[in-house]
Amino acid sequence: MSLLFFKRLLANPIRVGYLVPSSGFLTRKTARRIDFSKPRVVIELGPGEGCHTRQIVKQMNAESRLVLIELDDHFAAHLEKQFAGDDRVTVVHADALHLAEALELLGILNPDYIISGIPFTIMDRELRERLLAGISQSMGPDTVFITYQVSQQIAEHELFELFRSESCLFNVPPINVMELRKSAAAMNA
Ligand SMILES: C[S@@+](CC[C@H](N)C(=O)[O-])C[C@H]1O[C@@H](n2cnc3c(N)ncnc32)[C@H](O)[C@@H]1O
């Protein structure tokens, strides 16, 4: 585990959520879910110190774009430094609660993928609902929402429809990688 992750975990345990960053097994499993056979716009929420980001960047083609939205100022500064030389990557130091505004400022409508490492399962219910509503609002009919969580709770959420789920046992804690689309109910709301 990186020292930065450990320090940020101590500073804000609920927000960081897990005891260690995602494993290589999980980051590879998640990145494989993104189809880079054509240019894509990918949004990553809660990238932390960037373990999933590095895997995504490795696979990304030159015309694709990756936007990282990270609330923690230390993680955001670390990401800025780490991806400074890659103009496909934009770091936004912001709360994912303001996702719609952040995407509007960047001129992004209906991203291809939203990948989230935010620990929805362990946070306060009201905050979780606000975050999920904002994610759903920023999705178009073809946007794929990928999230890795300890429970499958989100799969039952009325705003989303689950179309694939896979568990990753080689991660601390063992985790589910879920792929969701915006539900018909959310689309018609
Ligand atoms: C469980 S850690 C995941 C870090 C990394 N993606 C990984 O897999 O190791 C959760 C991350 O989400 C960030 N986070 C939590 N709430 C957030 C919010 N509302 N907006 C943006 N980032 C948030 C935390 O600062 C932390 O970096």
Side-chain angles (χ1 to χ4, degrees):
M1 172 177 40
S2 79
L3 183 60
L4 175 63
F5 194 94
F6 184 60
K7 282 186 179 164
R8 303 320 298 152
L9 174 67
L10 289 184
N12 207 326
I14 298 288
R15 191 196 288 169
V16 174
Y18 302 130
L19 294 177
V20 287
S22 295
S23 68
F25 291 99
L26 176 59
T27 59
R28 286 191 291 276
K29 214 180 250 292
T30 307
R32 274 203 300 269
R33 299 276 152 241
I34 307 174
D35 170 13
F36 278 119
S37 59
K38 56 181 185 177
R40 299 293 189 186
V41 176
V42 181
I43 315 299
E44 188 184 359
L45 308 178
E49 51 81 61
C51 54
H52 286 270
T53 320
R54 288 189 289 278
Q55 201 59 247
I56 297 167
V57 159
K58 245 193 234 175
Q59 289 185 208
M60 243 169 111
N61 44 38
E63 300 77 25
S64 287
R65 184 169 186 198
L66 175 60
V67 177
L68 311 175
I69 300 187
E70 174 55 60
L71 178 57
D72 183 276
D73 46 356
H74 293 253
F75 279 146
H78 180 70
L79 293 163
E80 287 274 12
K81 221 164 150 184
Q82 196 177 160
F83 298 103
D86 193 333
D87 57 13
R88 299 169 301 172
V89 182
T90 307
V91 180
V92 179
H93 176 206
D95 193 322
L97 279 173
H98 307 301
L99 176 62
E101 294 95 309
L103 296 188
E104 196 181 335
L105 278 174
L106 293 166
I108 296 174
L109 186 68
N110 299 342
D112 296 298
Y113 294 91
I114 298 177
I115 300 183
S116 180
I118 296 176
F120 299 115
T121 315
I122 60 166
M123 66 177 42
D124 165 75
R125 185 175 182 278
E126 197 216 321
L127 176 59
R128 174 173 65 241
E129 289 305 313
R130 287 174 63 207
L131 282 163
L132 293 175
I135 290 170
S136 168
Q137 191 196 326
S138 300
M139 291 169 71
D142 297 324
T143 305
V144 178
F145 172 35
I146 303 176
T147 185
Y148 38 97
Q149 302 290 322
V150 287
S151 97
Q152 296 245 43
Q153 206 178 23
I154 288 177
E156 310 292 321
H157 202 288
E158 61 190 8
L159 293 174
F160 307 103
E161 267 159 27
L162 178 76
F163 67 94
R164 187 164 20 192
S165 175
E166 202 181 347
S167 56
C168 179
L169 300 177
F170 300 108
N171 188 69
V172 180
I175 210 153
N176 303 293
V177 182
M178 290 169 279
E179 283 174 80
L180 305 115
R181 286 194 198 276
K182 189 166 176 164
S183 68
M187 208 67 86
N188 296 324

